[in-house]
Amino acid sequence: METILSGIRSTGNLHLGNYFGAVKNFVKMQHENNCYFFIADYHSLTTHPTPEDLHNNVRKVLAEYLASGLDPEAATLYVQSDVPEIPELYLLLNMNSYIGELERTTTFKDKIRTQPDNVNAGLLTYPVLMAADILIHNATKVPVGKDQEQNLEMARKFAKRFNHMYQVDYFNEPVAYNFGENLVKIPGLDGDGKMGKSTGNGIYLVDDPKNIRKKVMKAKTDAGPTEMNQTKPEVIQNLFTIMDVVSASDTVSHFNDKYNGCEIRYGDLKKQLAEDIIAFTSPIRERILDIEKNDEYLRTVVKMGAEKARASAAKTLKDVREIIGFKPF
Ligand code: TRP
């Protein structure tokens, strides 16, 4: 059994791309592995949220993941700031992280560009905190997107450095967890790559039916096929790709046949697609709205998660402190 860990950004809503990409895989693997999922609220402080936003963002993200099927009994689902062992390990790892290597991280260089007025030390040591998140449970596999691969490599480097420095074989070197063929890539509606890559091309789980219809009807199309059985251009294939995951297979074949016979009316396809997306997201949306209101449930989930996470974290930290040489008098 692998120990799989994933950190969840505490800002932004889940869209269909997230759902069919990572979240659905999380839901599946939580029953097959030792899974840790946490909301990275300490990391979010690098952009200075207001106290109100800080809390509400965590609440929203938690409700969306629970509504999507993360099971707090099966996985360990927690809020990063509920586990004080993480910042302690972060402090310890910081002593063996070098300014030069941190400055060379692409995520840091990006931040210097996007927030030049707020280049704080938390941004510089972001990969160290991320390594602490991972190493605190000695995770073996970490599902990360392309943009986080370098940070994961830093976690491996810090693990290796610690082992070498103290001549121990304590930390695992965590590697990227690849969903393989289970990773469904959902395109955006503007013909511009993946959903979520640019703003306004996404359908969110919390979008209401009216909004979904509006977004789908606005999706880019072309002038229509001119030859029988021609290959679909990207904007059209995108609509079919979304249809593949939300619609019944006979619906997909119906529109495929229409396309191949050059009889397709994109308006009909979009109307059907919008209704099928609504049918798919509506129950999730209702669960999100219910959970968000349910203080008692959220409190129970977060408490249970913190207890499970701290049990594992405390054990690691005790070992690490011993290895480093802290001794009781
Ligand atoms: N940096 C990750 C992101 O922006 C979130 C994250 C924080 C994370 N700590 C982590 C991901 C540990 C994996 C493991 O998406």
Side-chain angles (χ1 to χ4, degrees):
M1 191 148 80
E2 302 278 358
T3 299
I4 302 180
L5 173 139
S6 186
I8 299 165
R9 258 172 247 188
S10 67
T11 48
N13 292 96
L14 283 178
H15 52 62
L16 284 181
N18 302 128
Y19 183 85
F20 288 104
V23 184
K24 220 176 146 188
N25 281 298
F26 289 175
V27 170
K28 189 157 157 253
M29 71 200 191
Q30 66 186 344
H31 300 292
E32 297 156 2
N33 296 281
N34 184 20
C35 286
Y36 293 91
F37 302 115
F38 70 94
I39 300 172
D41 58 343
Y42 276 140
H43 279 106
S44 79
L45 292 180
T46 53
T47 55
H48 300 172
T50 66
E52 204 166 86
D53 283 350
L54 179 67
H55 177 76
N56 288 338
N57 289 340
V58 171
R59 184 186 195 89
K60 194 179 67 188
V61 170
L62 193 58
E64 293 201 341
Y65 275 82
L66 287 165
S68 300
L70 280 202
D71 176 356
E73 304 273 348
T76 300
L77 175 61
Y78 60 102
V79 181
Q80 185 186 32
S81 63
D82 281 339
V83 183
E85 289 80 3
I86 298 169
E88 185 169 343
L89 181 60
Y90 163 68
L91 178 145
L92 299 172
L93 292 175
N94 263 325
M95 305 306 167
N96 310 324
S97 314
Y98 294 93
I99 297 212
E101 64 189 344
L102 296 172
E103 279 172 343
R104 282 192 297 276
T105 326
T106 47
T107 42
F108 179 64
K109 290 197 259 181
D110 285 348
K111 288 289 181 183
I112 292 184
R113 243 183 304 117
T114 52
Q115 51 183 77
D117 298 331
N118 180 19
V119 183
N120 58 67
L123 279 179
L124 184 69
T125 57
Y126 185 110
V128 189
L129 181 54
M130 188 161 153
D133 292 330
I134 298 166
L135 300 179
I136 199 75
H137 303 298
N138 225 336
T140 48
K141 296 261 162 86
V142 183
V144 284
K146 269 257 166 293
D147 64 326
Q148 297 295 315
E149 265 170 18
Q150 193 184 25
N151 284 340
L152 184 58
E153 195 186 318
M154 308 274 285
R156 271 198 295 281
K157 201 191 261 185
F158 299 145
K160 226 186 302 189
R161 195 174 283 163
F162 180 91
N163 289 346
H164 185 253
M165 184 159 177
Y166 296 104
Q167 291 298 300
V168 290
D169 189 14
Y170 187 74
F171 283 127
N172 296 315
E173 289 174 33
V175 295
Y177 182 91
N178 210 316
F179 297 126
E181 58 194 32
N182 288 330
L183 183 67
V184 179
K185 288 204 180 96
I186 301 295
L189 291 173
D190 52 3
D192 196 19
K194 254 174 43 172
M195 189 173 280
K197 274 280 171 214
S198 62
T199 46
N201 78 351
I203 293 178
Y204 293 86
L205 297 179
V206 286
D207 281 346
D208 62 27
K210 207 172 128 212
N211 208 347
I212 293 176
R213 285 189 195 105
K214 205 167 100 196
K215 286 184 181 178
V216 175
M217 294 320 281
K218 268 198 346 210
K220 267 203 186 134
T221 52
D222 63 2
T226 49
E227 280 168 51
M228 306 280 271
N229 302 314
Q230 75 179 57
T231 310
K232 299 184 186 82
E234 198 182 344
V235 281
I236 304 305
Q237 182 53 50
N238 286 351
L239 297 178
F240 275 92
T241 302
I242 301 176
M243 197 167 234
D244 266 333
V245 294
V246 294
S247 303
S249 58
D250 55 349
T251 306
V252 182
S253 336
H254 168 80
F255 285 102
N256 242 321
D257 292 347
K258 292 273 181 205
Y259 187 86
N260 288 332
C262 295
E263 302 171 326
I264 192 146
R265 295 212 316 235
Y266 290 138
D268 294 347
L269 176 136
K270 285 177 170 181
K271 262 190 209 132
Q272 181 68 45
L273 180 60
E275 294 318 306
D276 291 343
I277 292 174
I278 291 165
F280 182 83
T281 55
S282 286
I284 305 179
R285 174 169 182 264
E286 271 160 40
R287 282 200 296 274
I288 295 172
L289 300 177
D290 280 348
I291 294 172
E292 256 181 336
K293 285 191 300 232
N294 194 339
D295 283 334
E296 181 146 355
Y297 176 63
L298 287 171
R299 204 176 301 127
T300 312
V301 166
V302 160
K303 183 161 176 272
M304 182 168 68
E307 277 165 12
K308 288 202 274 179
R310 287 198 70 184
S312 153
K315 188 187 158 300
T316 306
L317 196 61
K318 179 173 176 288
D319 293 343
V320 167
R321 290 180 56 104
E322 243 171 67
I323 292 168
I324 292 179
F326 290 107
K327 273 199 189 116
F329 282 95

